[in-house]
Structure formats: structure tokens, C-alpha cells
């Protein structure tokens, strides 16, 4: 079994909410004064045959960041209804990858977000998502 490096200081893991994210990750988050940052270490299980982070893993991580931001400060759930991304570069094995997202607009039933994923402050992916706001069950 591959050993997991601890995240940088201040990052926490939200366990047990999404089995898929627990399996792909672990993904971490850090609450900031305004917004939050999400991160994960690229491990062998996240890599493709080229030794870089698999695109599907990066897309799942971007979706995680979107929903974490959409749910910050509200008592509800959400489901992604639309997701678009643009790949610009890759992340390599053992890279610490971070994502940020911001809410562009929140309506009564939807939340529209935009964000980016970086490695050492260099953007590797940008994304836009729409999530459906759902009552907490």
C-alpha cells in the first residue's frame, strides 16, 4: 500500500462524505479568511502511463473544489450539473496540487463557479461548473 504524505500545515481532510473522493484522494482543504484552498499529493494511483496526474483525477479534484466552495457557509447539499475544463499543463508524481474556486453567481436553485488548479503557483487547469443546490438530507 502506498504511503500518504501529510498535507501542508492547516489542511484537513473531509472523510466519509464521498466514497469516490476518499478513494481517489485523499483530498484536503484549508479555510482561509475569504474562501478556501483545496489540495492533494499526486500519488502513483493518480497517475497515467506518462507518470503525470491522470486528467480524470484532476477533473474529479476540480469538482471537489467546486462543491466545497459552493457549500461553504450554507447548510445544504449540491450536485454538479455542468462541468467544463481546459488543461494547460500537467502535474507529476509527488507534486502538491492546489485548487481554488469562486462563486460567480448563486441563485435560488443553482451556484455558478469558476476556478483553477495550480502546481507551485503555475496554472495547469481552469474550470467552470454549475451545481444544483439541494436541501440537506
Amino acid at each position: 500500500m502506498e504511503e500518504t504524505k501529510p498535507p501542508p500545515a492547516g489542511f484537513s481532510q473531509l472523510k466519509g462524505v464521498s466514497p469516490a473522493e476518499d478513494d481517489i484522494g485523499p483530498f484536503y482543504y484549508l479555510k482561509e479568511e475569504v474562501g478556501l484552498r483545496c489540495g492533494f499529493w499526486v500519488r502513483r494511483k493518480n497517475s497515467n502511463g506518462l507518470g503525470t496526474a491522470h486528467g480524470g483525477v484532476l477533473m474529479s479534484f476540480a469538482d471537489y473544489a467546486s462543491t466545497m466552495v459552493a457549500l461553504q457557509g450554507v447548510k445544504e447539499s449540491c450536485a454538479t450539473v455542468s462541468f467544463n475544463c481546459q488543461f494547460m499543463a500537467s502535474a507529476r508524481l509527488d507534486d502538491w496540487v492546489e485548487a481554488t474556486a469562486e462563486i460567480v453567481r448563486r441563485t435560488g436553485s443553482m451556484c455558478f463557479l469558476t476556478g483553477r488548479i495550480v502546481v507551485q503557483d503555475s496554472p495547469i487547469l481552469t474550470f467552470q461548473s454549475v451545481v444544483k443546490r439541494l436541501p440537506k438530507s
Side-chain angles (χ1 to χ4, degrees):
M1 178 140 186
E2 191 174 8
E3 191 172 320
T4 303
K5 291 185 204 179
F11 280 84
S12 301
Q13 183 182 3
L14 184 64
K15 291 183 184 178
V17 176
S18 172
E21 290 164 354
D22 290 344
D23 192 48
I24 295 167
F27 295 153
Y28 303 96
Y29 70 95
L30 172 68
K31 289 184 180 179
E32 297 187 304
E33 199 172 304
V34 177
L36 58 85
R37 277 188 293 154
C38 300
F40 82 103
W41 291 106
V42 178
R43 299 166 57 198
R44 183 164 310 288
K45 74 174 190 173
N46 307 125
S47 300
N48 58 28
L50 301 172
T52 61
H54 190 283
V57 170
L58 292 175
M59 291 169 68
S60 294
F61 177 57
D63 184 62
Y64 167 83
S66 276
T67 57
M68 289 291 286
V69 169
L71 295 175
Q72 193 174 20
V74 297
K75 294 189 185 303
E76 59 193 28
S77 289
C78 66
T80 304
V81 296
S82 177
F83 180 86
N84 297 296
C85 70
Q86 300 74 42
F87 294 93
M88 295 178 274
S90 57
R92 302 207 170 277
L93 190 62
D94 294 325
D95 278 346
W96 173 252
V97 177
E98 285 194 5
T100 55
E102 67 177 90
I103 296 171
V104 176
R105 183 169 184 220
R106 186 187 302 268
T107 68
S109 63
M110 299 287 192
C111 188
F112 301 81
L113 301 103
T114 186
R116 68 187 208 142
I117 296 178
V118 300
V119 173
Q120 297 180 349
D121 294 323
S122 294
I124 63 167
L125 182 146
T126 59
F127 61 91
Q128 307 77 40
S129 67
V130 180
V131 298
K132 171 78 173 150
R133 299 175 67 190
L134 302 168
K136 191 100 170 161
S137 50

